[in-house]
Amino acid sequence: MATNTEVTSQVPAQEDTATLSRRQFLTRLSVGLGGLGAAIVGLPVIGFLLGPLFRRSPQAWRGVGAVDKFQIGQTVEVTFLDPSPLPWAGVAAGTAAWLRRDGQDQFRAFAVNCTHLGCPVRWLPDASLFMCPCHGGVFYHDGKVAAGPPPRPLSEYEVRVNNGQVEILTSPTPIG
Amino acid sequence: MGLLKRAWLWFDDRSGVSKAIGPVATHAVPRGSAWSWALGSATLFAFLVQVVTGIGLATAYVTSTADAYQSLQFISHEATFGHLIRGMHYWGASAMVLFIGLHMAQVFLIAAYKFPRELNWLSGVALLGVTLAMGFTGQLLRWDQTAVWSVIVAAAQAGRAPVVGQALVHFILAGDTVGGATLTRFFAYHVFFVPALIFGLVGLHLFLVLHHGVSEPPKAGRPVDPKTYRRWYHDYLKTEGVPFWPDSAWRDVVVGVGMLVVLVGLAAVVGAPELGKPPDPTLLDAYPRPDWYLLWYFAVLALLPTNLEDYLILLLPAIAGALLVALPFISNRGERSALRRPWAMGIVLIVIVMISTLWIKGDQAPWSPAFTAQALPPAVIQNQASALASEVVVTGAGLFHSKGCENCHMVAGYGGQRGPNLTAVGQRLSQAQMTTRILNGGNNMPAYGGSLTPDQLNALVAFLSSRRPPAVTQPGVASGGSQ
């Protein structure tokens, strides 16, 4: 019985155009089928991974409290649920915002994310400033940049008063 | 012949283990390799530690944003050896980053990236990238408050990329916000995707080491010539080669086992970082900072010129990566000895000094407001040895704290370091200058014109004006501060 080595060494001597052509066909068939198999498995996985790029969560109005709960001129933290949290999200389903009441029905809701790199800004009521712990960004009470590296004012959520309730329109995390 | 030996011979005959591994284990390597040649294998040992301890952790870690935090608390405080295994995983990651950095510096210094080992270097550069990716994704799997905000910071940084920025944000967060899908995505990266890349790259790296041979110790006046190097190296090994096992491998084993002992010691004594607060995005008193090996980059992000930040925040890593990739193509022949390449030693020295300085700065983070600064005690407010502070000065000192001035300015050791030290500001600024600066801000200071009453302003200026160097040093005043 011939070994593999012997078979391989004998093949070139017996080759003719037909066998070469057949071998080329089989090579291309194998490579092609292999690529097809990889695509059948890989494309759905890639699509699954890239899904978030094309999927947008629906926006939703979330109540954060009765109008009377907020004093004019004050800024307080409010929390609300993401529009469509996954059942296993746990505490990660929540989002916070800094809500400021400027008048009877005038509210502004600032994102808690520093516009520098997204860290959570803190409100210093006595100083009327938002300060970021990460790289020292500072914002005035109206969200404008006061100092530090932030390139633009704090982002804002849409706010409305509906049936005596202050409501915030959810939106993607305002970073980037 | 004993039963065991016969069993081994049967197994070896049928499996071909000896024939497959023997030539690899005993392949010739240059004689006289130093201990520094073991840095690469030390990195591999550290990775294997990560694999083993990571498998252990994965048996108890719950990949759910709702439960991951509790499962890590269980691993850290209740599971048998959980504290030790988590500690080994943490310190193993540190060792892996440390050793891959040292290995690359050594390869650069002895110019082992030159012909024909360009691909060895490139696969090493890729391994550096995926190692840092493992470190970052691993920190996120701690899934405490810091981890949640670190994801957001990473996404925000990626979001600076032109055109595809927002798409990257959505990809990293696995949605519009941090939520249920975020953690599972990072778990998959950390446990499957990136390790698979590392296994593949390590396999390629080791194959290339065998294919081209371990680089010989460089010698001044013996340049690499691509036309003759392979033949020369082949002949060199005939006279200067020794079998890798055990003549050279023993050093790898000693370094690897030594590292293991240190890792277990650190894990047992120091342990892994304690978990922070729960991963609740509505808890805003967070201070997200990376682990030590990325702390220097945290400093870079704080120190970049603001007007160039949008460009540099992504360009700097890209340039650094491009330089590392380009290196073996820029210089793939000629002298290898560091003695004939003083610029190489200079570059390594500069990189070490630069990263060390940034690391120290990142650790101190002087740009961060000192939110926990204590109100100034009476002993500090009574700066003048001769008299008690007036009521208005005491009021001003209170405002200095409550208005957030102390978050950024230090007085007698109390307060932040973001702004100038105001311990003796009364000596260098007039009251008019202080008033102007407080009202209008400037030089990276907010304007307080809209948030101070005239009385408050007067009190604040009175306090600052009282800040002069004491005529006689009072024990406990200048040195008793804390931040």
Side-chain angles (χ1 to χ4, degrees), chain B residues 162-422:
Chain B
V163 184
V164 295
Q166 280 307 311
L168 287 176
V169 169
H170 285 276
F171 182 73
I172 290 171
L173 298 182
D176 283 341
T177 59
V178 168
T182 312
L183 178 65
T184 45
R185 177 66 67 95
F186 274 100
F187 180 80
Y189 293 152
H190 187 75
V191 175
F192 298 112
F193 187 63
V194 183
L197 281 177
I198 292 183
F199 274 114
L201 286 166
V202 165
L204 172 66
H205 200 69
L206 292 179
F207 168 76
L208 291 169
V209 169
L210 288 170
H211 181 60
H212 296 301
V214 173
S215 68
E216 74 284 2
K219 188 175 171 185
R222 194 173 65 196
V224 171
D225 181 353
K227 289 179 183 169
T228 58
Y229 179 80
R230 281 201 167 105
R231 168 59 54 195
W232 175 86
Y233 182 76
H234 183 73
D235 295 340
Y236 175 84
L237 283 186
K238 283 182 180 170
T239 56
E240 296 297 325
V242 291
F244 171 71
W245 177 268
D247 292 45
S248 178
W250 72 273
R251 283 195 185 88
D252 298 304
V253 175
V254 169
V255 170
V257 173
M259 183 190 68
L260 273 179
V261 171
V262 173
L263 283 185
V264 172
L266 284 169
V269 177
V270 184
E274 191 51 69
L275 296 178
K277 291 181 180 176
D280 184 348
T282 67
L283 299 177
L284 302 182
D285 56 341
Y287 184 18
R289 288 156 64 90
D291 281 340
W292 70 268
Y293 37 82
L294 288 174
L295 206 52
W296 63 275
Y297 191 61
F298 171 72
V300 169
L301 295 177
L303 299 173
L304 284 177
T306 306
N307 54 339
L308 296 177
E309 194 177 68
D310 271 347
Y311 308 101
L312 295 180
I313 203 167
L314 293 165
L315 267 182
L316 280 182
I319 291 171
L323 284 175
L324 287 174
V325 169
L327 176 68
F329 303 107
I330 296 171
S331 160
N332 79 331
R333 63 181 65 207
E335 286 287 350
R336 282 187 51 204
S337 170
L339 296 172
R340 298 284 176 93
R341 297 162 54 246
W343 52 268
M345 287 197 278
I347 288 174
V348 170
L349 196 64
I350 288 170
V351 169
I352 289 174
V353 169
M354 196 168 67
I355 289 186
S356 302
T357 307
L358 287 167
W359 185 81
I360 292 168
K361 278 288 174 194
D363 187 53
Q364 295 170 340
W367 49 80
S368 293
F371 289 110
T372 56
Q374 302 167 15
L376 298 176
V380 170
I381 299 169
Q382 292 158 15
N383 182 48
Q384 305 304 306
S386 57
L388 290 175
S390 67
E391 191 178 333
V392 69
V393 168
V394 173
T395 304
L399 289 165
F400 184 76
H401 176 73
S402 66
K403 291 290 182 183
C405 313
E406 200 183 334
N407 287 6
C408 298
H409 294 285
M410 186 173 283
V411 166
Y414 291 84
Q417 303 173 61
R418 179 165 174 69
N421 190 317
L422 301 183

Side-chain angles (χ1 to χ4, degrees), chain A residues 53 77 88 116 126-127 133 140 148, chain B residues 160 167 282 309 368 403 444 447:
Chain A
L53 295 179
E77 182 192 345
W88 58 89
H116 179 223
D126 288 331
Y140 291 117
Chain B
R160 296 287 188 95
T282 67
E309 194 177 68
S368 293
K403 291 290 182 183
N444 217 14

Side-chain angles (χ1 to χ4, degrees), chain A residues 59-150:
Chain A
Q59 289 185 292
W61 287 100
R62 297 289 194 204
V64 294
V67 172
D68 297 343
K69 183 179 155 189
F70 306 102
Q71 294 181 25
I72 293 175
Q74 288 202 345
T75 301
V76 295
E77 182 192 345
V78 292
T79 61
F80 51 93
L81 271 184
D82 293 336
S84 54
L86 293 170
W88 58 89
V91 291
T95 300
W98 291 109
L99 185 71
R100 179 176 182 81
R101 186 175 186 185
D102 286 326
Q104 193 58 34
D105 281 336
Q106 294 173 313
F107 289 87
R108 296 179 77 178
F110 298 102
V112 298
N113 305 94
C114 179
T115 52
H116 179 223
L117 284 175
C119 289
V121 296
R122 305 182 196 183
W123 171 247
L124 277 62
D126 288 331
S128 284
L129 294 171
F130 295 101
M131 281 194 183
C132 178
C134 289
H135 298 103
V138 186
F139 302 85
Y140 291 117
H141 66 84
D142 59 358
K144 289 179 181 163
V145 178

